[in-house]
Amino acid sequence: MRRISDEPGFVLHRYDWSESSLIVEVFTREHGRVALVAKGAKRPSSNFRPVLLPLQPLHLAFGGDAEIRTLKGAEWVGGQVMPTGDALLAGFYLNELLLRLLARDDPHPQLFETYADTVSVLASGHGEAVEPALRSFELLLLREIGLLPALHLETATQAAVEADARYSLLPDAGLARTGPMETRASLTGEQWQALQRALDQSAPFASALGVAANVAGELKPQLRALLNYHCGTGTLRTRQLMIDLQGL
């Protein structure tokens, strides 16, 4: 039986397995998304009970060769408070994206670091940083799984975008020039180029954060449409919950 120990990870989702146990979906640095059975985790005396919380950095130990492995240990790393309010909902949204778009046992160590950085921003209490952080994460997630076209090229022609022209990111056509009479969200070629340069940096999340802060409003509906297209759903559950709460 293979045993993994001291593996950095985050809880994405948990659900009942039996009267006393849980299935926990985790995102780990070296093993990607993994499903674990946490035996006895629902018992009041369980060491797992206070630790298996979302959006908290953990060190995990698990073993087994089946699709659902057995959680052997979970330790809170510390140093990070739980996000609250809109930031908490944003964190649940990140988790839903990973559950929908990542296959199990497919490692994405760079994406793991991006996720950890994003969660850290959400926990910081700086509300103005939530939207840029989400847009940066969405861009890097889409690129990591091969669903983001080059942002400095018009997808259909592979010609370099023109700095002053406007382009939209479309689910079925990539980056396409926006006509003067079209009302859909778009960015200038110069803004798309700036995003591409940020993504190409050695610390892409931090670089993208600064650029995304200036274009988050126009970028949001374009990335939302692209993500919904690839998730196969009209609206993600957490996004709908955000909409409903804002309506109240």
Side-chain angles (χ1 to χ4, degrees):
M1 180 185 290
R2 191 178 179 205
R3 172 84 181 239
I4 306 297
S5 59
D6 207 30
E7 173 67 11
F10 287 86
V11 171
L12 298 178
H13 184 57
R14 41 187 271 182
Y15 52 92
D16 291 342
W17 174 250
S18 67
E19 283 190 13
S20 62
S21 301
L22 295 169
I23 296 291
V24 186
E25 293 270 5
V26 297
F27 184 38
T28 69
R29 178 186 286 150
E30 301 301 330
H31 301 273
R33 184 181 142 222
V34 180
L36 306 171
V37 58
K39 295 180 178 177
K42 293 163 67 177
R43 295 192 185 111
S45 60
S46 172
N47 292 331
F48 292 145
R49 191 180 177 94
V51 175
L52 295 178
L53 301 173
L55 309 174
Q56 293 295 297
L58 305 174
H59 278 171
L60 302 167
F62 53 91
D65 300 311
E67 183 181 0
I68 298 177
R69 293 171 230 181
T70 302
L71 182 64
K72 303 291 187 181
E75 195 176 311
W76 182 53
V77 175
Q80 191 160 288
V81 300
M82 181 71 77
T84 59
D86 288 345
L88 179 61
L89 284 174
F92 289 148
Y93 167 68
L94 299 184
N95 290 356
E96 185 176 0
L97 285 179
L98 294 179
L99 287 165
R100 286 179 177 269
L101 292 171
L102 295 187
R104 281 182 181 159
D105 301 308
D106 184 16
H108 293 278
Q110 183 60 56
L111 182 62
F112 179 89
E113 297 302 332
T114 298
Y115 175 87
D117 287 343
T118 308
V119 171
S120 199
V121 170
L122 297 183
S124 69
H126 297 295
E128 74 284 355
V130 170
E131 287 294 325
L134 289 180
R135 303 295 80 81
S136 301
F137 179 81
E138 289 167 341
L139 285 166
L140 287 161
L141 169 62
L142 286 163
R143 187 176 73 162
E144 177 74 18
I145 58 180
L147 298 177
L148 186 72
L151 301 180
H152 65 301
L153 303 173
E154 190 172 358
T155 302
T157 64
Q158 289 298 288
V161 297
E162 297 175 19
D164 295 332
R166 298 195 73 86
Y167 299 84
S168 297
L169 186 59
L170 305 176
D172 54 352
L175 202 62
R177 192 161 185 150
T178 309
M181 303 302 291
E182 294 182 85
T183 58
R184 65 188 176 209
S186 62
L187 301 178
T188 66
E190 186 175 13
Q191 290 169 326
W192 286 119
Q193 290 169 336
L195 284 168
Q196 183 65 55
R197 286 194 298 271
L199 298 181
D200 290 338
Q201 298 300 309
S202 57
F205 177 75
S207 300
L209 204 57
V211 180
N214 297 318
V215 296
E218 288 290 301
L219 196 55
K220 181 176 180 177
Q222 299 178 76
L223 291 176
R224 179 192 304 165
L226 184 56
L227 287 161
N228 286 345
Y229 179 82
H230 289 295
C231 288
T233 181
T235 305
L236 295 170
R237 284 177 297 184
T238 43
R239 195 180 284 283
Q240 186 60 55
L241 180 57
M242 289 183 204
I243 293 168
D244 293 343
L245 287 174
Q246 286 167 354
L248 292 174

